[in-house]
Amino acid sequence: MSGRHIYTDMKRREFLKRLFAFTALPAIVSMPSACNDRGSNNKHIKGGIAGANHKTGHLLRNTQHLPAPSETKDVNILIIGGGISGLSARRWLGMHGVDDVLMIEMDSKTGGNSVYGENSITAYPWAAHYLPVPDVQNKELIEFLQSCGVITGYSNGLPVYNDYHLCHDPEERLLIKGYWQEGLVPNFGVPDTEKAQIADFFRHVEEMKLAKGKDNKYAFAIPVDASSADETYRKLDAITFETYLHQQGYNALHLLWYLEYCCKDDYGANLRQTSAWAGLHYFAARKGTAANATGADVLTWPEGNGFLMKALRGNDVGNIITNTLAYKVSIEDNNRIAVYCYDAEKKQSTVVRAQKVIMCTPQYINKHLLQVDNAERDGIYDIASYAPWVVANVTVQHIPEGKGAVLSWDNVVYGRESVGYVRANHQLLKASAQQVITYYLPVVDTNTTAARSKVHNKDYEYWKQYIMGDLEYAHPGITAYVSNIDICVWGHGMIMPSPGYIWSDERRVAQQPIDDKIYFAHTDLSGISIFEEGFYQGIRSAQQIINSL
Amino acid sequence: MDKPGVAEKILQQRQRILLFSVFVIATCGLIYELIAGTLASYLLGDSVTQFSTIIGTYLFSMGIGSWLSKYVDDNLLKWFIRIEILVGIVGGCSSPLLFLLFEHIASFRLVLYALVSITGILVGLEIPILMRILKKSVSFKDLVSQVFTFDYIGALLASIIFPLLLVPYFGLMRTSLFFGILNIGVAAFLLYQFQETVRYRKLYISIIMGSIVVLLVGFVYAERIMSYTETLAFQDNVIYSKSTPYQRIVLTKNRRELKLFLNGNLQFSSADEYRYHEALVHPGLQALPHAKSVLILGGGDGLAAREVLKYSNIERITLVDLDPAMTSIFKKNEMLLALNKRSLLSPKVTIINSDAFNWVRANKQLYDFVIIDFPDPSNYSIGKLYSTRFYEELHHLLTDDAIVAIQSTSPLIAKKSYWCINHTLAATGFITLPYHVYVPSFGEWGYVMGMKKYNWKHTDNLPSGLRFVNVTSMKNMFLFPPDMDEVQTDVNRLNNQVLVNYFEDEWAPYIH
Ligand SMILES: Cc1cc2nc3c(=O)[nH]c(=O)nc-3n(C[C@H](O)[C@H](O)[C@H](O)COP(=O)(O)OP(=O)(O)OC[C@H]3O[C@@H](n4cnc5c(N)ncnc54)[C@H](O)[C@@H]3O)c2cc1C
């Protein structure tokens, strides 16, 4: 700590230090017992499991128990699912003058994996929370960001990003060997040979960033569908990232930890569950440039990608029906699509008859919903596997800090199962002792079904205990300051880009419309679950409809 | 020599016990007096006046006590025990009470003198009653000689240990609580030693236990009331300290000056703050003879406002300070009111306790002159208040001719930090005018003025009575010798916060 005129009153510091041993004693003796039996003394922490989302979703397993439809409704275009993909499709249709569009969403609000919550301190994300500064080549995305004030103008031909939306410094820190270092790439106490290997890996991905295939397309691009078809690169999708790293001679422990952390953070998968292509894509596809930022910078908001979600949706929500689950999609004799919907509030069913439908729902849902004969689609669902996630929003009055860098936006602990926590109120610019931190735990297990039943079977107390244990590890004594933990369990959090998925026939087929009537848009269809892909999926499907009219 | 009989032995023992009590109560009595005197000079300043009026009041009250002693007739021992308990409670709690009340009440002096009087009266009662108890067994000449001998020895002891041991190692608060416990201890001891107290022993024991518990709790938690370590961290006496949700406010005082620290960083010293505040306000405001409305961001001490109020053309001052605790103490405390000339009580001043960043973003009013007096950019949450984004937001608060004056740390010690602030301001379209002054407590200190169009000029439109700024001293402020010359720096943005890093690097050598 320093400031105006430090030099006169610090003389006594030395004395004070010696004295501290004595004066600190009563403080230690009277410390709350929370410190002694870590984590177990957390009765004062309130909260619960938020979101009835998956409960509504589970109704799909036994649709015969749902009431028979008592009403019918006709629309031109029905969008099923109000996540990023659905909202992006809706926006694109709206921008191109397509009328009579209706959206249904099973949750009580739109957003899907980009939903957010709010308390007296701040808004906070329930899942997606940031967008890296995008490539200027991604024209639609750049235009969208300009329309919602994320890009405020141009300077020397490059976008100028809104200062309030670019992640503020200090951005990232990593707790390693008892010390909070700046940045997430391990450095503190890492042997020089390992550091050399880390530097080498980053040189490698820099090359990959610029690599182009024979078709003159980038080897790794966003959206993934814009990537080169060149086999040199695509064949990397067949092997695991782990195998690839091994083949390339990368074996430094800290590098491997970091790369696995990245896969967990973006894909919910470990090195063995991620294809080499996807593993490299994480680094090599980020080609963002800006006048006042770099491709390594990110855009973030207190409500996370909820900000972008609201911007995509707009204020006019008259044609969005929430709390409504689609439970069956079929083609009627008159060539219309019949979508059976269940209103979870009114507890009644309706049939919506539409000219065209966009299914902006995940593949595991589509498998239950779609009741259409289509030989080509047989078996396409089986190759999708999902990473379960547990996300917690923790309200804390004070964070006991250790040595090193101060509380940052993203705070990660080396060698833990969780991928750390993000400070939700980071962008608020308001001085506040209270914080809301959003904690992320991908439940990684080679057997994803087992992992999923694990996340669903554990109760609130279990997760609370687990999360507090993890936070205590990083910040001993924090339990006493935590007042609230709300938890959200995402059983099918995100699609995993496991080997063979991204460039599979199944994924290609899954994107194909059926009979120019049923269209598909979802990040599952990209194989990489990020905002840009959802945004693209929505536009792609909406454009297909526009072209067919 | 005759061997004393049993009865005589008992008498002698009683005598010794009582004389020992004289010694203890004399020590306690003087300690209370010293505490009151010290506290008064800490908290109210001007130690000679404070000390002599406190001692005067105390002695006079003792006189009242002595006079009152003649109305005490029956059961002298019981009275004596009663008084000991009362002295223990009142004297023991006096210093914590005064520290606690200091920030809350305007008529602090009244409480101080009331407490001194009550303690004095009670102490004044002690010796006469004791002498009357002893009178039964000792001849008058022995009585006077012995009682006064012990009284003065006690006083000597008190006057030696008070400055050498108690204040430095115990602090005022614990000293007073400790001697309160001693006083009550005397009562307990007498109760235990003297058989005739048996009838009321039970009741008194419980009263004694209760008061000792209260004092002990105070003793243990004195740290909370005012951090013990903190008292030692500062060279001077800490007269006020408070942890608010935003910062730790500490006021210290010595014979010459009063200092304000926020989170351990000196904000001003009463000895030379006039240099700092005159330089912050006058170079800018003298150039704006038509200015009517002024915005002060930070500056909850009211010292910048004091300087602004010297211009009769100023009609409104809006002061935005994060911490209500700051503005409140500078509106209430007499010593601080004397320093800021009651500026925060002026009808022209509107105080808003809010986070400056968000307030500036949301505010719609226009100002002719803006003073930015934030703490140094020593951490990220203050660093953002020196960012391009913040300065861009300022634009919409300014009239076309407006000038902004920003305190900008030391251009000598923190050259890069200083010029970084200048460059950051310039990067947002302001024309900047850097200047500096020498403030003994801070060293060379820097400011930057910013304006939308160049309209700064030298005038002699300075208010009278300034101690530092005049036409000549103002001219010198704009000259930067080579050791403070402009250096190249990055611009401080929310997403790089380079200023905090410069600042840490540059000040680090001065911390240890
Ligand atoms: C923990 C976690 C963290 C993430 N963090 C980030 C991040 O920081 N940045 C990032 O870019 N991405 C992140 N993501 C990825 C995120 O999934 C995408 O960014 C994006 O939100 C996906 O949108 P979507 O529309 O494709 O899918 P979804 O969000 O799955 O949308 C599908 C929608 O359909 C609804 N629905 C499903 N079934 C039915 C039905 N039968 N009837 C009606 N409605 C139905 C759902 O309720 C949902 O609203 C994260 C994901 C998770 C799980």
Side-chain angles (χ1 to χ4, degrees):
Chain A
M1 199 168 48
S2 45
R4 272 185 222 169
H5 177 57
I6 299 143
Y7 28 98
T8 60
D9 281 285
M10 292 299 158
K11 290 174 202 153
R12 292 203 173 209
R13 276 248 164 136
E14 258 321 294
F15 172 59
L16 200 68
K17 268 189 209 150
R18 268 180 282 138
L19 203 89
F20 184 71
F22 158 70
T23 50
L25 204 64
I28 292 166
V29 174
S30 65
M31 209 117 80
S33 57
C35 305
N36 304 331
D37 46 322
R38 278 193 188 163
S40 61
N41 198 348
N42 57 23
K43 300 266 181 305
H44 64 284
I45 301 174
K46 305 211 163 44
I49 294 189
N53 188 310
H54 68 269
K55 289 201 189 96
T56 317
H58 284 173
L59 293 174
L60 283 175
R61 290 185 184 160
N62 293 303
T63 50
Q64 67 272 22
H65 298 318
L66 296 175
S70 51
E71 257 181 77
T72 53
K73 196 186 254 167
D74 290 311
V75 292
N76 183 12
I77 292 163
L78 178 71
I79 300 173
I80 308 176
I84 296 300
S85 305
L87 291 168
S88 167
R90 173 174 169 272
R91 169 174 169 274
W92 201 255
L93 293 174
M95 278 168 63
H96 291 84
V98 178
D99 289 338
D100 198 13
V101 176
L102 183 71
M103 168 178 271
I104 58 165
E105 163 58 49
M106 71 173 177
D107 204 351
S108 58
K109 46 193 178 185
T110 57
N113 282 350
S114 299
V115 288
Y116 65 95
E118 209 159 353
N119 64 17
S120 61
I121 304 166
T122 180
Y124 46 78
W126 271 125
H129 55 289
Y130 74 96
L131 171 70
V133 166
D135 187 354
V136 283
Q137 306 292 316
N138 197 338
K139 254 182 44 215
E140 292 86 1
L141 183 57
I142 296 285
E143 273 165 23
F144 163 66
L145 294 177
Q146 192 163 11
S147 75
C148 60
V150 176
I151 291 173
T152 54
Y154 284 84
S155 167
N156 300 324
L158 288 175
V160 176
Y161 282 90
N162 189 326
D163 280 327
Y164 291 119
H165 303 172
L166 275 175
C167 180
H168 301 160
D169 209 39
E171 198 168 323
E172 298 163 334
R173 62 171 181 169
L174 174 69
L175 180 62
I176 178 166
K177 302 182 170 74
Y179 180 82
W180 286 102
Q181 63 153 66
E182 270 174 42
L184 298 183
V185 181
N187 182 48
F188 180 79
V190 175
D192 285 344
T193 49
E194 293 203 27
K195 278 189 193 161
Q197 222 181 75
I198 292 173
D200 186 63
F201 177 82
F202 279 102
R203 269 192 300 274
H204 181 57
V205 295
E206 277 309 309
E207 275 166 30
M208 289 295 193
K209 247 185 213 176
L210 302 175
K212 286 187 175 178
K214 290 193 201 84
D215 49 8
N216 207 29
K217 286 182 174 174
Y218 277 121
F220 302 95
I222 294 174
V224 288
D225 284 340
S227 306
S228 170
D230 196 328
E231 261 310 296
T232 330
Y233 302 107
R234 284 209 179 170
K235 69 173 188 226
L236 295 175
D237 197 40
I239 56 170
T240 69
F241 198 24
E242 187 181 48
T243 306
Y244 178 80
L245 293 169
H246 181 71
Q247 285 172 359
Q248 299 288 317
Y250 292 114
N251 55 8
L253 194 65
H254 289 92
L255 174 63
L256 295 181
W257 171 82
Y258 175 69
L259 298 178
E260 181 149 282
Y261 155 79
C262 292
C263 290
K264 275 163 47 178
D265 195 44
D266 254 36
Y267 307 142
N270 60 27
L271 292 175
R272 216 170 291 172
Q273 292 165 311
T274 307
S275 86
W277 194 91
L280 289 169
H281 184 273
Y282 177 92
F283 298 97
R286 286 199 184 181
K287 304 183 218 288
T289 44
N292 57 344
T294 71
D297 288 315
V298 303
L299 298 154
T300 188
W301 305 264
E303 67 272 52
N305 288 7
F307 174 89
L308 297 170
M309 184 276 290
K310 281 184 284 185
L312 274 179
R313 185 188 63 196
N315 292 327
D316 183 7
V317 293
N319 62 349
I320 301 180
I321 305 177
T322 53
N323 283 316
T324 298
L325 169 84
Y327 64 88
K328 184 174 147 191
V329 177
S330 58
I331 300 183
E332 285 192 328
D333 301 339
N334 59 10
N335 252 345
R336 284 209 196 179
I337 315 298
V339 179
Y340 290 71
C341 302
Y342 172 68
D343 185 326
E345 268 187 331
K346 293 191 196 128
K347 306 217 181 309
Q348 66 189 38
S349 299
T350 311
V351 177
V352 178
R353 291 185 305 187
Q355 300 292 345
K356 290 171 193 284
V357 169
I358 313 181
M359 298 188 62
C360 302
T361 37
Q363 287 292 81
Y364 75 95
I365 298 273
N366 292 353
K367 182 180 173 179
H368 293 284
L369 278 189
L370 256 184
Q371 301 192 0
V372 176
D373 286 333
N374 189 312
E376 224 199 339
R377 297 181 62 89
D378 283 350
I380 64 164
Y381 304 110
D382 302 337
I383 78 163
S385 51
Y386 293 87
W389 281 79
V390 174
V391 179
N393 276 293
V394 180
T395 306
V396 52
Q397 311 304 316
H398 165 75
I399 300 181
E401 288 290 2
K403 272 183 269 172
V406 297
L407 181 63
S408 303
W409 171 65
D410 196 4
N411 306 269
V412 179
V413 182
Y414 183 84
R416 304 293 285 185
E417 279 184 57
S418 86
V419 293
Y421 63 86
V422 161
R423 181 183 172 225
N425 49 319
H426 190 70
Q427 300 290 98
L428 279 187
L429 293 166
K430 206 158 80 189
S432 156
Q434 292 183 60
Q435 313 282 343
V436 174
I437 59 179
T438 312
Y439 169 94
Y440 289 89
L441 175 69
V443 183
V444 181
D445 193 316
T446 333
N447 180 346
T448 50
T449 322
R452 190 150 30 256
S453 51
K454 176 180 168 191
V455 300
H456 282 314
N457 293 340
K458 301 294 185 205
D459 64 355
Y460 175 73
E461 287 304 318
Y462 173 87
W463 291 119
K464 180 163 104 174
Q465 191 91 7
Y466 182 94
I467 292 162
M468 281 323 303
D470 214 17
L471 290 177
E472 274 286 335
Y473 177 87
H475 304 282
I478 195 175
T479 308
Y481 300 105
V482 173
S483 56
N484 195 87
I485 302 183
D486 284 321
I487 289 166
C488 187
V489 173
W490 300 95
H492 291 85
M494 50 171 76
I495 187 84
M496 289 200 297
S498 36
Y501 182 80
I502 291 184
W503 297 116
S504 63
D505 260 352
E506 285 87 341
R507 185 177 78 87
R508 187 184 52 77
V509 170
Q511 300 196 55
Q512 303 300 321
I514 301 175
D515 288 349
D516 263 349
K517 297 239 167 283
I518 305 176
Y519 297 77
F520 298 92
H522 192 268
T523 44
D524 281 12
L525 307 181
S526 295
I528 284 178
S529 185
I530 51 176
F531 177 84
E532 302 90 310
E533 294 292 343
F535 180 79
Y536 158 77
Q537 287 288 341
I539 294 177
R540 184 187 53 77
S541 61
Q543 192 59 47
Q544 282 173 339
I545 290 188
I546 293 163
N547 293 344
S548 76
L549 292 177
Chain B
M1 215 193 273
D2 283 348
K3 278 199 170 173
V6 178
E8 205 168 326
K9 252 189 185 166
I10 291 174
L11 252 175
Q12 269 177 7
Q13 201 194 343
R14 281 179 74 114
Q15 202 177 316
R16 253 180 301 190
I17 291 168
L18 288 170
L19 284 173
F20 176 71
S21 311
V22 172
F23 172 70
V24 175
I25 62 177
T27 317
C28 293
L30 195 72
I31 293 280
Y32 297 139
E33 182 180 335
L34 290 170
I35 287 174
T38 316
L39 251 174
S41 50
Y42 280 6
L43 299 178
L44 300 172
D46 188 2
S47 48
V48 176
T49 322
Q50 295 309 336
F51 240 105
S52 52
T53 48
I54 290 287
I55 290 178
T57 313
Y58 193 78
L59 288 176
F60 177 67
S61 310
M62 278 176 74
I64 298 179
S66 306
W67 176 74
L68 283 175
S69 70
K70 73 172 174 180
Y71 296 105
V72 177
D73 265 338
D74 58 321
N75 208 340
L76 288 172
L77 189 61
K78 190 173 175 184
W79 267 106
F80 185 70
I81 290 171
R82 217 178 260 164
I83 287 167
E84 282 313 291
I85 297 173
L86 276 175
V87 178
I89 295 172
V90 178
C93 292
S94 62
S95 140
L97 205 65
L98 288 171
F99 267 114
L100 286 176
L101 291 177
F102 179 59
E103 61 171 300
H104 293 298
I105 52 171
S107 46
F108 174 74
R109 228 174 271 258
L110 205 76
V111 179
L112 173 72
Y113 283 96
L115 270 174
V116 167
S117 310
I118 296 172
T119 318
I121 292 173
L122 291 170
V123 172
L125 278 163
E126 284 173 335
I127 302 288
I129 294 182
L130 227 146
M131 285 174 84
R132 280 164 60 194
I133 298 174
L134 282 167
K135 178 182 80 180
K136 292 171 197 155
S137 55
V138 194
S139 71
F140 186 67
K141 81 173 179 208
D142 285 343
L143 179 67
V144 174
S145 110
Q146 283 172 359
V147 166
F148 283 107
T149 307
F150 280 102
D151 188 11
Y152 291 127
I153 291 176
L156 177 68
L157 181 73
S159 63
I160 292 171
I161 60 170
F162 183 73
L164 295 183
L165 282 175
L166 299 175
V167 174
Y169 292 101
F170 257 29
L172 283 181
M173 213 172 313
R174 284 199 166 146
T175 301
S176 109
L177 289 162
F178 176 73
F179 283 88
I181 294 174
L182 276 191
N183 259 131
I184 298 177
V186 167
F189 187 61
L190 296 180
L191 215 50
Y192 171 74
Q193 288 288 339
F194 293 91
Q195 196 48 43
E196 61 264 48
T197 61
V198 76
R199 276 174 295 120
Y200 50 87
R201 218 177 247 176
K202 256 212 181 114
L203 174 69
Y204 274 49
I205 289 284
S206 42
I207 295 176
I208 284 173
M209 296 290 254
S211 355
I212 287 190
V213 165
V214 169
L215 294 179
L216 268 178
V217 167
F219 192 81
V220 171
Y221 286 93
E223 205 127 334
R224 296 250 174 114
I225 306 174
M226 190 179 63
S227 161
Y228 174 43
T229 51
E230 190 160 67
T231 324
L232 294 163
F234 297 92
Q235 286 183 323
D236 303 331
N237 301 308
V238 173
I239 58 169
Y240 170 83
S241 71
K242 180 170 186 161
S243 283
T244 74
Y246 307 105
Q247 58 199 349
R248 180 128 186 102
I249 305 174
V250 172
L251 280 169
T252 70
K253 177 99 178 66
N254 67 23
R255 230 174 299 131
R256 201 172 65 89
E257 56 188 339
L258 173 74
K259 290 183 187 165
L260 170 73
F261 293 83
L262 296 181
N263 295 334
N265 300 326
L266 180 65
Q267 301 303 302
F268 69 71
S269 152
S270 61
D272 57 20
E273 57 76 21
Y274 69 92
R275 275 186 165 231
Y276 173 88
H277 289 105
E278 286 186 9
L280 175 63
V281 174
H282 299 296
L285 205 46
Q286 58 85 32
L288 299 168
H290 304 296
K292 289 193 168 57
S293 62
V294 173
L295 172 65
I296 302 174
L297 299 173
D301 51 27
L303 298 173
R306 175 193 68 197
E307 296 304 316
V308 174
L309 286 167
K310 291 178 180 166
Y311 293 82
S312 53
N313 50 304
I314 300 302
E315 294 169 1
R316 296 178 301 279
I317 301 176
T318 305
L319 189 148
V320 181
D321 193 291
L322 179 62
D323 198 345
M326 265 292 276
T327 45
S328 138
I329 184 173
F330 279 90
K331 270 198 301 200
K332 283 190 193 139
N333 181 268
E334 287 178 52
M335 212 184 342
L336 301 175
L337 285 173
L339 193 63
N340 67 19
K341 302 261 161 55
R342 316 179 81 80
S343 62
L344 299 185
L345 300 173
S346 158
K348 291 183 182 175
V349 175
T350 311
I351 295 174
I352 293 162
N353 292 118
S354 165
D355 184 271
F357 207 120
N358 290 300
W359 185 87
V360 165
R361 269 178 95 175
N363 184 65
K364 299 269 182 310
Q365 250 145 13
L366 291 180
Y367 301 90
D368 303 311
F369 185 56
V370 177
I371 296 164
I372 303 188
D373 192 13
F374 294 135
D376 277 355
S378 59
N379 65 45
Y380 293 102
S381 50
I382 304 177
K384 72 194 181 188
L385 297 166
Y386 291 84
S387 65
T388 47
R389 192 66 244 170
F390 184 71
Y391 295 144
E392 272 158 21
E393 295 289 354
L394 269 186
H395 276 271
H396 78 263
L397 298 186
L398 303 177
T399 56
D400 288 342
D401 293 325
I403 293 179
V404 181
I406 305 172
Q407 92 80 6
S408 310
T409 194
S410 170
L412 184 63
I413 286 170
K415 208 163 153 179
K416 276 196 140 179
S417 310
Y418 176 76
W419 289 104
C420 171
I421 297 172
N422 184 46
H423 297 150
T424 304
L425 193 64
T428 63
F430 280 101
I431 295 163
T432 63
L433 204 54
Y435 64 102
H436 67 100
V437 297
Y438 180 71
V439 183
S441 304
F442 294 168
E444 271 303 326
W445 212 256
Y447 309 81
V448 182
M449 263 190 269
M451 48 213 124
K452 289 188 190 172
K453 58 173 198 239
Y454 194 91
N455 65 334
W456 189 82
K457 53 190 180 298
H458 236 143
T459 70
D460 49 9
N461 175 32
L462 286 164
S464 60
L466 298 189
R467 294 165 72 191
F468 178 66
V469 173
N470 66 15
V471 176
T472 326
S473 67
M474 203 152 65
K475 273 198 185 116
N476 294 331
M477 291 180 192
F478 297 92
L479 305 174
F480 280 79
D483 62 353
M484 298 194 276
D485 226 356
E486 182 158 2
V487 284
Q488 225 181 336
T489 69
D490 281 336
V491 165
N492 187 44
R493 300 178 191 284
L494 286 177
N495 65 331
N496 69 11
Q497 292 247 21
V498 287
L499 178 59
V500 175
N501 299 331
Y502 289 151
F503 187 86
E504 266 174 10
D505 290 346
E506 291 178 318
W507 281 92
Y510 297 88
I511 300 179
H512 301 292

